[in-house]
Amino acid sequence: MKLVRRAQWGAPATSPAASIARTRGVKVHYLGKPYSSRAHGRCDDEVRAVRAAHLAHPTENYSDIAYNMLVCEHGYVYEGRGAHRRTGANGTGSLNSQDYAVCALLGSEGMTTPPDAMLHGIRDAIEYLRREGDAGNWIGGHRDGFATACPGGPLYAWVRKGAPRPGGTAPALPVPSTPVPPQETDVPRVIDTNNPIDTRLTAGRWTLLALPDEGGEIVSGPSRYDIGVHLSVKGLPPGTRVQGRFHRYLPAKRDRSDRRPQNTYADQRGEAEFRFTDAGTLAKGTELRFEVLADAPGTLIHRAINGVYWPEP
């Protein structure tokens, strides 16, 4: 393993991110932007740039680079937050507590296919987090449980095969002969649903988010939840404000209570993606719903809901 410690690439020796005892496994990411192949002497420049961009993010409030490890095309593994540190890259608080995050220095354009050296490096990073960070055997992509294209088609195809080393096969993971359903209420259930059907947004009017085969509810009580809503909207004039709000709904009384506007965005492109998150507790018989409002007419072309919830007895 060609490990580059934090201090070697220019970060403080220890990450200020919150500690974590163990994880289910590891999620693989990519940069999600155009990226081109380069000499190895420039790879640490990209790692520093990623950290700087994260620290300067206007809404995420990152304490450090979001990833636990990063891997360049030459197979070098850069220590990000490192082992036993909670990632900030997986999309929600619960998803960040569930798995570590390893980012390939790979682009959505330009260099999009991982070379063998990078695949070896990612596998090195996964095995390091298992050995040093008590990561479990599960391996997935950022898109598993979160609405995103990350880590891109070519890399995700490799992840789906079990992340085997080039020229070899992935080790077989133990599978129980008789699956046993979770019995503890602290085991979360995953929400991962989406709807690509276009919906017209009327200027100045709140629109209830609905998904196929469901009413307006995202999750019902009694439960705790940590949910993200991801929207894609087109046709908005530059500068249009888009807002979202979660609220608790009592079907028996048809009462919409506790409406909380969240995360106001200004769109400068006429087509953009918006992310809203909420976490809390629902009383028995109460539903969590979500509404979106734009100051100008537009078309909601895709919506997705991702996250976890903990049903209570």
Side-chain angles (χ1 to χ4, degrees):
M1 177 179 182
K2 297 179 284 190
L3 179 62
V4 183
R5 294 288 188 184
R6 289 172 58 88
Q8 292 176 286
W9 60 264
T14 303
S15 174
S19 298
I20 191 169
R22 62 185 60 85
T23 68
R24 174 186 66 167
V26 176
K27 284 191 171 181
V28 178
H29 297 243
Y30 74 161
L31 294 171
K33 65 176 184 178
Y35 186 80
S36 58
S37 178
R38 62 200 63 199
H40 178 58
R42 296 176 55 203
C43 292
D44 57 350
D45 294 334
E46 180 63 25
V47 176
R48 285 189 290 271
V50 171
R51 183 172 188 266
H54 287 178
L55 291 176
H57 197 284
T59 60
E60 291 290 354
N61 195 30
Y62 288 120
S63 63
D64 194 6
I65 192 169
Y67 307 109
N68 296 95
M69 318 292 285
L70 300 93
V71 181
C72 74
E73 64 190 277
H74 312 281
Y76 284 78
V77 179
Y78 293 83
E79 183 184 29
R81 296 190 176 195
H84 288 300
R85 297 289 177 177
R86 183 176 177 273
T87 181
N90 289 337
T92 69
S94 294
L95 294 175
N96 288 336
S97 296
Q98 186 170 263
D99 300 297
Y100 289 119
V102 173
C103 181
L105 300 188
L106 194 69
S108 55
E109 298 178 22
M111 183 180 174
T112 59
T113 301
D116 285 355
M118 174 177 278
L119 298 180
H120 277 296
I122 297 172
R123 190 73 207 190
D124 287 341
I126 292 169
E127 292 172 4
Y128 174 87
L129 289 169
R130 289 176 176 177
R131 183 174 66 252
E132 303 294 333
D134 290 314
N137 284 334
W138 188 87
I139 303 173
H142 184 191
R143 66 176 68 178
D144 292 316
F146 190 81
T148 176
C150 182
L155 185 54
Y156 188 63
W158 174 75
V159 169
R160 293 281 292 175
K161 293 177 182 177
R165 287 194 180 274
T169 58
L173 302 181
V175 178
S177 56
T178 304
V180 179
Q183 299 297 319
E184 300 178 13
T185 58
D186 62 350
V187 176
R189 298 183 184 179
V190 175
I191 296 173
D192 183 9
T193 185
N194 66 84
N195 181 3
I197 299 174
D198 290 357
T199 300
R200 187 66 177 167
L201 299 179
T202 302
R205 178 182 298 175
W206 288 99
T207 300
L208 177 67
L209 190 72
L211 294 170
D213 303 321
E214 301 175 22
E217 76 276 6
I218 297 173
V219 64
S220 298
S223 64
R224 293 180 292 121
Y225 64 89
D226 190 341
I227 301 295
V229 173
H230 188 170
L231 308 178
S232 297
V233 185
K234 70 176 182 180
L236 299 175
T240 300
R241 185 176 58 164
V242 174
Q243 300 179 77
R245 66 183 181 191
F246 294 87
H247 64 83
R248 293 170 172 82
Y249 178 71
L250 299 173
K253 298 182 179 180
R254 297 184 178 180
D255 175 38
R256 300 183 180 189
S257 61
D258 194 17
R259 289 173 168 169
R260 290 169 291 162
Q262 290 200 359
N263 299 5
T264 299
Y265 292 87
D267 171 44
Q268 300 297 330
R269 295 175 294 166
E271 179 175 337
E273 297 185 354
F274 305 101
R275 178 77 183 169
F276 305 89
T277 61
D278 191 36
T281 302
L282 293 174
K284 183 177 180 179
T286 305
E287 298 175 350
L288 180 70
R289 297 192 173 194
F290 182 84
E291 297 173 319
V292 61
L293 176 147
D295 289 350
T299 303
L300 180 62
I301 58 175
H302 188 269
R303 79 295 311 266
I305 298 174
N306 308 99
V308 294
Y309 67 101
W310 297 261
E312 297 180 355

